[in-house]
mmCIF file with all atom_site columns, all heavy atoms in Angstrom:
data_model
loop_
_atom_site.group_PDB
_atom_site.id
_atom_site.type_symbol
_atom_site.label_atom_id
_atom_site.label_alt_id
_atom_site.label_comp_id
_atom_site.label_asym_id
_atom_site.label_entity_id
_atom_site.label_seq_id
_atom_site.pdbx_PDB_ins_code
_atom_site.Cartn_x
_atom_site.Cartn_y
_atom_site.Cartn_z
_atom_site.occupancy
_atom_site.B_iso_or_equiv
_atom_site.pdbx_formal_charge
_atom_site.auth_seq_id
_atom_site.auth_comp_id
_atom_site.auth_asym_id
_atom_site.auth_atom_id
_atom_site.pdbx_PDB_model_num
ATOM 1   N N   . ALA A 1 89  ? 68.418 -29.018 10.653 1.00 97.00 ? 89  ALA A N   1
ATOM 2   C CA  . ALA A 1 89  ? 68.174 -28.099 11.763 1.00 97.00 ? 89  ALA A CA  1
ATOM 3   C C   . ALA A 1 89  ? 66.832 -28.348 12.431 1.00 97.00 ? 89  ALA A C   1
ATOM 4   O O   . ALA A 1 89  ? 66.532 -27.750 13.463 1.00 97.00 ? 89  ALA A O   1
ATOM 5   C CB  . ALA A 1 89  ? 68.232 -26.654 11.260 1.00 97.00 ? 89  ALA A CB  1
ATOM 6   N N   . PHE A 1 90  ? 66.036 -29.245 11.885 1.00 97.00 ? 90  PHE A N   1
ATOM 7   C CA  . PHE A 1 90  ? 64.694 -29.481 12.418 1.00 97.00 ? 90  PHE A CA  1
ATOM 8   C C   . PHE A 1 90  ? 64.719 -30.038 13.840 1.00 97.00 ? 90  PHE A C   1
ATOM 9   O O   . PHE A 1 90  ? 64.001 -29.560 14.712 1.00 97.00 ? 90  PHE A O   1
ATOM 10  C CB  . PHE A 1 90  ? 63.908 -30.415 11.493 1.00 97.00 ? 90  PHE A CB  1
ATOM 11  C CG  . PHE A 1 90  ? 62.578 -30.826 12.039 1.00 97.00 ? 90  PHE A CG  1
ATOM 12  C CD1 . PHE A 1 90  ? 61.535 -29.918 12.097 1.00 97.00 ? 90  PHE A CD1 1
ATOM 13  C CD2 . PHE A 1 90  ? 62.371 -32.110 12.517 1.00 97.00 ? 90  PHE A CD2 1
ATOM 14  C CE1 . PHE A 1 90  ? 60.305 -30.283 12.608 1.00 97.00 ? 90  PHE A CE1 1
ATOM 15  C CE2 . PHE A 1 90  ? 61.145 -32.488 13.028 1.00 97.00 ? 90  PHE A CE2 1
ATOM 16  C CZ  . PHE A 1 90  ? 60.107 -31.575 13.079 1.00 97.00 ? 90  PHE A CZ  1
ATOM 17  N N   . GLU A 1 91  ? 65.557 -31.037 14.077 1.00 95.00 ? 91  GLU A N   1
ATOM 18  C CA  . GLU A 1 91  ? 65.577 -31.698 15.390 1.00 95.00 ? 91  GLU A CA  1
ATOM 19  C C   . GLU A 1 91  ? 66.033 -30.763 16.509 1.00 95.00 ? 91  GLU A C   1
ATOM 20  O O   . GLU A 1 91  ? 65.676 -30.972 17.660 1.00 95.00 ? 91  GLU A O   1
ATOM 21  C CB  . GLU A 1 91  ? 66.479 -32.937 15.340 1.00 95.00 ? 91  GLU A CB  1
ATOM 22  C CG  . GLU A 1 91  ? 65.957 -34.031 14.438 1.00 95.00 ? 91  GLU A CG  1
ATOM 23  C CD  . GLU A 1 91  ? 64.618 -34.602 14.878 1.00 95.00 ? 91  GLU A CD  1
ATOM 24  O OE1 . GLU A 1 91  ? 64.362 -34.677 16.097 1.00 95.00 ? 91  GLU A OE1 1
ATOM 25  O OE2 . GLU A 1 91  ? 63.818 -34.956 13.992 1.00 95.00 ? 91  GLU A OE2 1
ATOM 26  N N   . ASP A 1 92  ? 66.810 -29.761 16.161 1.00 95.00 ? 92  ASP A N   1
ATOM 27  C CA  . ASP A 1 92  ? 67.351 -28.836 17.168 1.00 95.00 ? 92  ASP A CA  1
ATOM 28  C C   . ASP A 1 92  ? 66.536 -27.559 17.311 1.00 95.00 ? 92  ASP A C   1
ATOM 29  O O   . ASP A 1 92  ? 66.924 -26.669 18.076 1.00 95.00 ? 92  ASP A O   1
ATOM 30  C CB  . ASP A 1 92  ? 68.786 -28.449 16.805 1.00 95.00 ? 92  ASP A CB  1
ATOM 31  C CG  . ASP A 1 92  ? 69.712 -29.645 16.816 1.00 95.00 ? 92  ASP A CG  1
ATOM 32  O OD1 . ASP A 1 92  ? 69.484 -30.564 17.617 1.00 95.00 ? 92  ASP A OD1 1
ATOM 33  O OD2 . ASP A 1 92  ? 70.656 -29.664 16.008 1.00 95.00 ? 92  ASP A OD2 1
ATOM 34  N N   . THR A 1 93  ? 65.430 -27.443 16.591 1.00 97.00 ? 93  THR A N   1
ATOM 35  C CA  . THR A 1 93  ? 64.654 -26.213 16.582 1.00 97.00 ? 93  THR A CA  1
ATOM 36  C C   . THR A 1 93  ? 63.238 -26.479 17.073 1.00 97.00 ? 93  THR A C   1
ATOM 37  O O   . THR A 1 93  ? 62.512 -27.280 16.489 1.00 97.00 ? 93  THR A O   1
ATOM 38  C CB  . THR A 1 93  ? 64.591 -25.613 15.161 1.00 97.00 ? 93  THR A CB  1
ATOM 39  O OG1 . THR A 1 93  ? 65.916 -25.477 14.643 1.00 97.00 ? 93  THR A OG1 1
ATOM 40  C CG2 . THR A 1 93  ? 63.913 -24.255 15.181 1.00 97.00 ? 93  THR A CG2 1
ATOM 41  N N   . LEU A 1 94  ? 62.861 -25.823 18.140 1.00 98.00 ? 94  LEU A N   1
ATOM 42  C CA  . LEU A 1 94  ? 61.497 -25.898 18.665 1.00 98.00 ? 94  LEU A CA  1
ATOM 43  C C   . LEU A 1 94  ? 60.646 -24.959 17.823 1.00 98.00 ? 94  LEU A C   1
ATOM 44  O O   . LEU A 1 94  ? 60.890 -23.751 17.802 1.00 98.00 ? 94  LEU A O   1
ATOM 45  C CB  . LEU A 1 94  ? 61.483 -25.464 20.137 1.00 98.00 ? 94  LEU A CB  1
ATOM 46  C CG  . LEU A 1 94  ? 60.170 -25.569 20.878 1.00 98.00 ? 94  LEU A CG  1
ATOM 47  C CD1 . LEU A 1 94  ? 59.818 -27.032 21.139 1.00 98.00 ? 94  LEU A CD1 1
ATOM 48  C CD2 . LEU A 1 94  ? 60.244 -24.812 22.190 1.00 98.00 ? 94  LEU A CD2 1
ATOM 49  N N   . ILE A 1 95  ? 59.659 -25.509 17.120 1.00 98.00 ? 95  ILE A N   1
ATOM 50  C CA  . ILE A 1 95  ? 58.829 -24.705 16.214 1.00 98.00 ? 95  ILE A CA  1
ATOM 51  C C   . ILE A 1 95  ? 57.488 -24.434 16.877 1.00 98.00 ? 95  ILE A C   1
ATOM 52  O O   . ILE A 1 95  ? 56.769 -25.357 17.255 1.00 98.00 ? 95  ILE A O   1
ATOM 53  C CB  . ILE A 1 95  ? 58.623 -25.422 14.872 1.00 98.00 ? 95  ILE A CB  1
ATOM 54  C CG1 . ILE A 1 95  ? 59.974 -25.723 14.221 1.00 98.00 ? 95  ILE A CG1 1
ATOM 55  C CG2 . ILE A 1 95  ? 57.732 -24.581 13.946 1.00 98.00 ? 95  ILE A CG2 1
ATOM 56  C CD1 . ILE A 1 95  ? 59.890 -26.638 13.032 1.00 98.00 ? 95  ILE A CD1 1
ATOM 57  N N   . LEU A 1 96  ? 57.177 -23.149 16.986 1.00 98.00 ? 96  LEU A N   1
ATOM 58  C CA  . LEU A 1 96  ? 55.910 -22.713 17.554 1.00 98.00 ? 96  LEU A CA  1
ATOM 59  C C   . LEU A 1 96  ? 55.169 -21.899 16.504 1.00 98.00 ? 96  LEU A C   1
ATOM 60  O O   . LEU A 1 96  ? 55.784 -21.190 15.711 1.00 98.00 ? 96  LEU A O   1
ATOM 61  C CB  . LEU A 1 96  ? 56.145 -21.842 18.785 1.00 98.00 ? 96  LEU A CB  1
ATOM 62  C CG  . LEU A 1 96  ? 57.041 -22.431 19.869 1.00 98.00 ? 96  LEU A CG  1
ATOM 63  C CD1 . LEU A 1 96  ? 57.254 -21.415 20.985 1.00 98.00 ? 96  LEU A CD1 1
ATOM 64  C CD2 . LEU A 1 96  ? 56.439 -23.713 20.420 1.00 98.00 ? 96  LEU A CD2 1
ATOM 65  N N   . VAL A 1 97  ? 53.859 -21.986 16.526 1.00 97.00 ? 97  VAL A N   1
ATOM 66  C CA  . VAL A 1 97  ? 53.027 -21.196 15.617 1.00 97.00 ? 97  VAL A CA  1
ATOM 67  C C   . VAL A 1 97  ? 52.062 -20.392 16.457 1.00 97.00 ? 97  VAL A C   1
ATOM 68  O O   . VAL A 1 97  ? 51.469 -20.900 17.411 1.00 97.00 ? 97  VAL A O   1
ATOM 69  C CB  . VAL A 1 97  ? 52.264 -22.102 14.625 1.00 97.00 ? 97  VAL A CB  1
ATOM 70  C CG1 . VAL A 1 97  ? 51.259 -21.300 13.803 1.00 97.00 ? 97  VAL A CG1 1
ATOM 71  C CG2 . VAL A 1 97  ? 53.239 -22.832 13.709 1.00 97.00 ? 97  VAL A CG2 1
ATOM 72  N N   . GLY A 1 98  ? 51.904 -19.139 16.085 1.00 95.00 ? 98  GLY A N   1
ATOM 73  C CA  . GLY A 1 98  ? 50.938 -18.272 16.733 1.00 95.00 ? 98  GLY A CA  1
ATOM 74  C C   . GLY A 1 98  ? 50.007 -17.690 15.705 1.00 95.00 ? 98  GLY A C   1
ATOM 75  O O   . GLY A 1 98  ? 50.436 -17.318 14.612 1.00 95.00 ? 98  GLY A O   1
ATOM 76  N N   . GLY A 1 99  ? 48.733 -17.655 16.040 1.00 92.00 ? 99  GLY A N   1
ATOM 77  C CA  . GLY A 1 99  ? 47.753 -17.089 15.120 1.00 92.00 ? 99  GLY A CA  1
ATOM 78  C C   . GLY A 1 99  ? 46.431 -17.808 15.229 1.00 92.00 ? 99  GLY A C   1
ATOM 79  O O   . GLY A 1 99  ? 46.194 -18.585 16.149 1.00 92.00 ? 99  GLY A O   1
ATOM 80  N N   . ILE A 1 100 ? 45.585 -17.543 14.276 1.00 89.00 ? 100 ILE A N   1
ATOM 81  C CA  . ILE A 1 100 ? 44.259 -18.163 14.244 1.00 89.00 ? 100 ILE A CA  1
ATOM 82  C C   . ILE A 1 100 ? 44.345 -19.412 13.383 1.00 89.00 ? 100 ILE A C   1
ATOM 83  O O   . ILE A 1 100 ? 44.479 -19.331 12.161 1.00 89.00 ? 100 ILE A O   1
ATOM 84  C CB  . ILE A 1 100 ? 43.211 -17.179 13.697 1.00 89.00 ? 100 ILE A CB  1
ATOM 85  C CG1 . ILE A 1 100 ? 43.174 -15.939 14.591 1.00 89.00 ? 100 ILE A CG1 1
ATOM 86  C CG2 . ILE A 1 100 ? 41.843 -17.838 13.604 1.00 89.00 ? 100 ILE A CG2 1
ATOM 87  C CD1 . ILE A 1 100 ? 42.369 -14.797 14.046 1.00 89.00 ? 100 ILE A CD1 1
ATOM 88  N N   . VAL A 1 101 ? 44.305 -20.560 14.050 1.00 94.00 ? 101 VAL A N   1
ATOM 89  C CA  . VAL A 1 101 ? 44.438 -21.845 13.362 1.00 94.00 ? 101 VAL A CA  1
ATOM 90  C C   . VAL A 1 101 ? 43.284 -22.739 13.826 1.00 94.00 ? 101 VAL A C   1
ATOM 91  O O   . VAL A 1 101 ? 43.165 -23.036 15.016 1.00 94.00 ? 101 VAL A O   1
ATOM 92  C CB  . VAL A 1 101 ? 45.795 -22.515 13.692 1.00 94.00 ? 101 VAL A CB  1
ATOM 93  C CG1 . VAL A 1 101 ? 45.895 -23.883 13.030 1.00 94.00 ? 101 VAL A CG1 1
ATOM 94  C CG2 . VAL A 1 101 ? 46.953 -21.622 13.277 1.00 94.00 ? 101 VAL A CG2 1
ATOM 95  N N   . PRO A 1 102 ? 42.419 -23.173 12.902 1.00 95.00 ? 102 PRO A N   1
ATOM 96  C CA  . PRO A 1 102 ? 41.327 -24.083 13.270 1.00 95.00 ? 102 PRO A CA  1
ATOM 97  C C   . PRO A 1 102 ? 41.861 -25.371 13.904 1.00 95.00 ? 102 PRO A C   1
ATOM 98  O O   . PRO A 1 102 ? 42.972 -25.808 13.590 1.00 95.00 ? 102 PRO A O   1
ATOM 99  C CB  . PRO A 1 102 ? 40.633 -24.374 11.936 1.00 95.00 ? 102 PRO A CB  1
ATOM 100 C CG  . PRO A 1 102 ? 41.012 -23.234 11.046 1.00 95.00 ? 102 PRO A CG  1
ATOM 101 C CD  . PRO A 1 102 ? 42.396 -22.825 11.486 1.00 95.00 ? 102 PRO A CD  1
ATOM 102 N N   . ASP A 1 103 ? 41.064 -25.984 14.759 1.00 93.00 ? 103 ASP A N   1
ATOM 103 C CA  . ASP A 1 103 ? 41.492 -27.182 15.491 1.00 93.00 ? 103 ASP A CA  1
ATOM 104 C C   . ASP A 1 103 ? 41.984 -28.300 14.570 1.00 93.00 ? 103 ASP A C   1
ATOM 105 O O   . ASP A 1 103 ? 42.985 -28.950 14.861 1.00 93.00 ? 103 ASP A O   1
ATOM 106 C CB  . ASP A 1 103 ? 40.368 -27.697 16.386 1.00 93.00 ? 103 ASP A CB  1
ATOM 107 C CG  . ASP A 1 103 ? 40.140 -26.807 17.589 1.00 93.00 ? 103 ASP A CG  1
ATOM 108 O OD1 . ASP A 1 103 ? 41.052 -26.017 17.948 1.00 93.00 ? 103 ASP A OD1 1
ATOM 109 O OD2 . ASP A 1 103 ? 39.045 -26.881 18.186 1.00 93.00 ? 103 ASP A OD2 1
ATOM 110 N N   . ASP A 1 104 ? 41.273 -28.555 13.459 1.00 94.00 ? 104 ASP A N   1
ATOM 111 C CA  . ASP A 1 104 ? 41.700 -29.617 12.539 1.00 94.00 ? 104 ASP A CA  1
ATOM 112 C C   . ASP A 1 104 ? 43.066 -29.312 11.940 1.00 94.00 ? 104 ASP A C   1
ATOM 113 O O   . ASP A 1 104 ? 43.899 -30.201 11.780 1.00 94.00 ? 104 ASP A O   1
ATOM 114 C CB  . ASP A 1 104 ? 40.679 -29.803 11.409 1.00 94.00 ? 104 ASP A CB  1
ATOM 115 C CG  . ASP A 1 104 ? 39.395 -30.467 11.885 1.00 94.00 ? 104 ASP A CG  1
ATOM 116 O OD1 . ASP A 1 104 ? 39.386 -31.029 13.004 1.00 94.00 ? 104 ASP A OD1 1
ATOM 117 O OD2 . ASP A 1 104 ? 38.404 -30.422 11.134 1.00 94.00 ? 104 ASP A OD2 1
ATOM 118 N N   . ASP A 1 105 ? 43.283 -28.040 11.618 1.00 96.00 ? 105 ASP A N   1
ATOM 119 C CA  . ASP A 1 105 ? 44.577 -27.643 11.064 1.00 96.00 ? 105 ASP A CA  1
ATOM 120 C C   . ASP A 1 105 ? 45.667 -27.699 12.124 1.00 96.00 ? 105 ASP A C   1
ATOM 121 O O   . ASP A 1 105 ? 46.809 -28.053 11.837 1.00 96.00 ? 105 ASP A O   1
ATOM 122 C CB  . ASP A 1 105 ? 44.499 -26.238 10.474 1.00 96.00 ? 105 ASP A CB  1
ATOM 123 C CG  . ASP A 1 105 ? 43.618 -26.172 9.242  1.00 96.00 ? 105 ASP A CG  1
ATOM 124 O OD1 . ASP A 1 105 ? 43.258 -27.235 8.690  1.00 96.00 ? 105 ASP A OD1 1
ATOM 125 O OD2 . ASP A 1 105 ? 43.283 -25.044 8.828  1.00 96.00 ? 105 ASP A OD2 1
ATOM 126 N N   . LYS A 1 106 ? 45.312 -27.356 13.358 1.00 96.00 ? 106 LYS A N   1
ATOM 127 C CA  . LYS A 1 106 ? 46.280 -27.423 14.462 1.00 96.00 ? 106 LYS A CA  1
ATOM 128 C C   . LYS A 1 106 ? 46.801 -28.850 14.588 1.00 96.00 ? 106 LYS A C   1
ATOM 129 O O   . LYS A 1 106 ? 48.013 -29.065 14.709 1.00 96.00 ? 106 LYS A O   1
ATOM 130 C CB  . LYS A 1 106 ? 45.632 -26.972 15.767 1.00 96.00 ? 106 LYS A CB  1
ATOM 131 C CG  . LYS A 1 106 ? 46.550 -27.060 16.957 1.00 96.00 ? 106 LYS A CG  1
ATOM 132 C CD  . LYS A 1 106 ? 45.869 -26.596 18.238 1.00 96.00 ? 106 LYS A CD  1
ATOM 133 C CE  . LYS A 1 106 ? 46.785 -26.784 19.426 1.00 96.00 ? 106 LYS A CE  1
ATOM 134 N NZ  . LYS A 1 106 ? 46.190 -26.301 20.676 1.00 96.00 ? 106 LYS A NZ  1
ATOM 135 N N   . LYS A 1 107 ? 45.911 -29.807 14.527 1.00 96.00 ? 107 LYS A N   1
ATOM 136 C CA  . LYS A 1 107 ? 46.306 -31.213 14.642 1.00 96.00 ? 107 LYS A CA  1
ATOM 137 C C   . LYS A 1 107 ? 47.295 -31.582 13.528 1.00 96.00 ? 107 LYS A C   1
ATOM 138 O O   . LYS A 1 107 ? 48.301 -32.238 13.773 1.00 96.00 ? 107 LYS A O   1
ATOM 139 C CB  . LYS A 1 107 ? 45.067 -32.108 14.575 1.00 96.00 ? 107 LYS A CB  1
ATOM 140 C CG  . LYS A 1 107 ? 45.360 -33.567 14.740 1.00 96.00 ? 107 LYS A CG  1
ATOM 141 C CD  . LYS A 1 107 ? 44.105 -34.411 14.701 1.00 96.00 ? 107 LYS A CD  1
ATOM 142 C CE  . LYS A 1 107 ? 44.468 -35.875 14.786 1.00 96.00 ? 107 LYS A CE  1
ATOM 143 N NZ  . LYS A 1 107 ? 43.319 -36.749 14.615 1.00 96.00 ? 107 LYS A NZ  1
#
Side-chain angles (χ1 to χ4, degrees):
F90 174 72
E91 294 297 326
D92 297 328
T93 307
L94 184 71
I95 302 170
L96 307 176
V97 172
I100 301 170
V101 177
D103 288 340
D104 288 346
D105 292 347
K106 178 180 176 178
K107 182 179 177 186

